[in-house]
Amino acid sequence: VKIWHGEMAVLLSLFSSDVLALPIFKQEESNLPPDSDNKILPFQYVLCAATSPAVKLHDETLTYLNQGQSYEIRMLDNRKIGELPEITGKMVKSIIRVVFHDRRLQYTEHQQLEGWRWNRPGDRILDLDIPMSVGIIDPRANPTQLNTVEFLWDPSKRTSVFIQVHCISTEFTMRKHGGEKGVPFRIQIDTFKENENEEYTEHLHSASCQVKVFKPKGADRKQKTDREKMEKRAPQEKEKYQPSYETTILTECCPWPEVTYVSNSPSPGFNSTHNSFPVAEGNGSPNHQPEPVIPVADNLLPTATPQDAQQWLLRNRFSPFCRLFTNFSGADLLKLTREDVIQICGPADGIRLFNALKGRVVRPRLTIYVCQESQQTRDQQVKHENGDAAANTFFVYHAIYLEELTSAELTEKIAQLFNILPRQINQIFKQGPTGIHVLVSDEMIQNFQDEVCFVLDTMKGIRAWR
C-alpha cells in the first residue's frame, strides 16, 4: 500500500496542471476517514484463513490461500437496532470477486483474464463450494465472468459461503523463469439491496482483503516459512510486524465499478441523405447523381457525459475498457496522452483507442477530383475564353478516393459517383499530347499525382478523361 501511495504521488505530480479523474481502484480504501476503523459497519465479512506474520504494522494484512481449496467466508450482520429497517426480513445480494491488487494489472484485467481463459479452457478463476455453504440462495456464476460469483442471503440468518480460487499468483507474473514472486490478488465482496423495481442495484457495503494463491500445500509452506523468519528476528524487530491472526477480516473499500451496457443504442452507421447535383441532358448521364455513401464520423466530444462516453466506447468496440473508464467524461478521455492510453489498454488497443479519441482517419492512397463536362459547360468555357460575362462561372468537382490503385477500382468509383452500373463503362481513356486517347491502366493510375483534377466526357459510349 505504501508503494502504491508513492506511485500515486508521482501521477499527481505529472498531472498537477490538469488532474484527471482516474477510476476508483481497490488500493484507495486507505483513503477512508481515519475514524472508519471505529465506525460500526452494517456487515462484516470474515475469511477463515490465517494472516501472514511477515506484514509490517499499519500495512494491509496478507493472507495465503491454496489453489482449489475451499475457504469459508462468514457473512455477519452488524446492524444496530433500527438500522437499515428496509432490509429487515428481506434478502440482499452479494457479489464476490477475485481481482488484481496491482494497479498495472487492474488496467489490463480484461487481457489478463482472456489469456488465462485461453490457457485454461473450461476452468474458472473463482467457484462456490455450494454443498459446504450455508444460508445462500440462488447462487450464480456467469460463464463470461470467470472471476465473479453472486448469491442472495438473509442477514438475519447464519450465512457462510465457501469459495475456491483456481488461479495461482505466479500465473500473472511478467517474467516466468522460476522462483519469481506471485502477484497479489484481492477478494472483494459488494452487497446490494433491492430498489423500487425489485432489482439488486442499491449499494450497501463493500469490503476486501489482500491474498496470494499458491499451488496446493504451498500456502501452508509459505506461512510456516514466514513464521520461522519472524522467530529468528530480534524482539525489537518483531515489534515492527503484525501478529498472525487466525482469520482475515475484510476491510471497507469502494464498490467495484460495474460496466453499464447500453441497449438499443445507435451504432455508427452511414449517412442516409444524399446530395445530388443537376447535369444537363444530352450527354447520356442521369439527371440526378447522388454522392457516394460516406461513413458518419463518430468523434467523442469534450461535452460528452460519462454515460455518453460509455456509449461511445461500446460503439467503437472498446467494451473491455468500459469499467476502467466508468467515471470518465468526454473531456477526461480526450485529455489522456498516447502514453497514458497505451499504459492502460496495452499497445494494440491503446493505439487504436488513442487514434479514435483524436478522430484520426486513415488517409487514402490517392485522391483525385473529377467534373463531368456537358454541352452547357463547354459553351460557358468558350464564353469565358472570349471574355464574356460568364467570368464568374465555377465548376463542381467530386472527390474520388482510391486504395487499390487499379483501373477496376476507378471504374467502380466512377460508376458509383454517377449512379450507373460499372459494366456500362467500357473503357477509360486519358487525353494525352496532341489530343490522343491513352488507355487508363493500373500502372497509369499508380503514377497519378495526388489531388489531380480531371474533366470527364462521354464519347460514343466510351467515357474519356481530359
Side-chain angles (χ1 to χ4, degrees), residues 12-13 25 38 43 95-96 114 163 185 200 202 211 216 237 243 273 284 319 332 360-361 391 412 419 427 449:
L12 289 178
S13 66
F25 292 103
N38 301 323
F43 303 108
I95 302 175
I96 303 180
E114 283 301 310
I163 64 168
F185 300 127
Y200 291 94
E202 292 194 21
V211 300
E237 284 293 317
T273 60
S319 56
D332 294 331
R360 297 190 175 184
V361 179
E412 185 177 347
N419 198 25
Q427 288 177 317
Q449 293 182 358

Side-chain angles (χ1 to χ4, degrees), residues 68-335:
Q69 181 174 327
S70 294
Y71 289 91
E72 179 185 10
I73 299 179
R74 297 171 185 166
M75 314 290 289
L76 306 178
D77 183 4
N78 275 359
R79 290 178 298 156
K80 298 178 182 179
I81 298 176
E83 185 181 2
L84 294 175
E86 64 272 19
I87 66 172
T88 301
K90 294 186 178 181
M91 297 287 179
V92 296
K93 182 174 81 170
S94 288
I95 302 175
I96 303 180
R97 292 179 175 86
V98 172
V99 295
F100 292 113
H101 174 81
D102 292 342
R103 192 178 186 88
R104 173 183 59 83
L105 292 173
Q106 287 176 351
Y107 277 138
T108 60
E109 179 185 276
H110 176 74
Q111 292 90 329
Q112 299 288 342
L113 297 187
E114 283 301 310
W116 192 88
R117 185 201 303 267
W118 178 265
N119 294 323
R120 302 270 297 274
D123 289 349
R124 290 186 56 82
I125 289 177
L126 180 64
D127 263 330
L128 286 176
D129 190 342
I130 297 177
M132 295 188 66
S133 300
V134 177
I136 67 171
I137 299 173
D138 193 21
R140 297 184 181 184
N142 191 326
T144 62
Q145 297 178 333
L146 304 182
N147 62 330
T148 302
V149 294
E150 62 182 59
F151 55 90
L152 303 179
W153 59 288
D154 186 345
S156 64
K157 298 180 180 179
R158 179 198 166 201
T159 303
S160 286
V161 57
F162 283 76
I163 64 168
Q164 299 170 341
V165 182
H166 297 290
C167 63
I168 59 176
S169 294
T170 53
E171 288 184 276
F172 299 98
T173 51
M174 293 282 290
R175 298 174 183 176
K176 299 181 180 179
H177 48 73
E180 66 277 349
K181 291 184 177 180
V183 301
F185 300 127
R186 301 197 70 80
I187 293 177
Q188 171 150 343
I189 303 178
D190 300 296
T191 298
F192 302 86
K193 67 177 180 179
E194 284 184 313
N195 60 12
E196 297 176 353
N197 299 322
E198 298 184 350
E199 299 172 340
Y200 291 94
T201 56
E202 292 194 21
H203 178 257
L204 287 173
H205 179 245
S206 293
S208 66
C209 66
Q210 183 182 193
V211 300
K212 279 190 176 183
V213 184
F214 297 81
K215 290 182 179 180
K217 304 291 186 179
D220 305 308
R221 290 192 293 269
K222 178 61 175 172
Q223 186 79 357
K224 180 181 178 181
T225 301
D226 285 357
R227 187 168 57 250
E228 291 174 348
K229 286 183 178 179
M230 293 306 300
E231 290 174 353
K232 296 177 182 179
R233 291 183 180 272
Q236 58 268 30
E237 284 293 317
K238 290 182 181 179
E239 294 176 357
K240 298 179 182 179
Y241 290 84
Q242 302 178 19
S244 176
Y245 300 99
E246 292 184 358
T247 58
T248 304
I249 298 177
L250 280 66
T251 55
E252 187 183 17
C253 66
C254 300
W256 189 260
E258 289 283 356
V259 179
T260 303
Y261 293 100
V262 182
S263 58
N264 301 324
S265 61
S267 58
F270 296 95
N271 194 348
S272 59
T273 60
H274 293 152
N275 297 324
S276 60
F277 60 96
V279 178
E281 297 181 1
N283 57 1
S285 59
N287 291 334
H288 296 282
Q289 299 148 345
E291 290 282 1
V293 175
I294 300 173
V296 175
D298 187 25
N299 295 331
L300 182 66
L301 300 177
T303 55
T305 64
Q307 291 76 20
D308 295 335
Q310 290 287 305
Q311 293 185 25
W312 183 88
L313 289 168
L314 290 169
R315 290 199 305 269
N316 288 272
R317 296 178 289 114
F318 295 108
S319 56
F321 307 103
C322 285
R323 189 176 69 194
L324 288 173
F325 299 117
T326 299
N327 300 317
F328 276 50
S329 65
D332 294 331
L333 285 171
L334 290 169
K335 290 174 186 176

Side-chain angles (χ1 to χ4, degrees), residues 390-417:
N392 293 329
T393 302
F394 66 94
F395 303 96
V396 177
Y397 284 80
H398 301 272
I400 291 180
Y401 304 106
L402 301 177
E403 294 291 347
E404 300 174 4
L405 305 186
T406 63
S407 58
E409 182 189 21
L410 178 60
T411 301
E412 185 177 347
K413 292 294 181 70
I414 293 175
Q416 183 183 18
L417 179 63

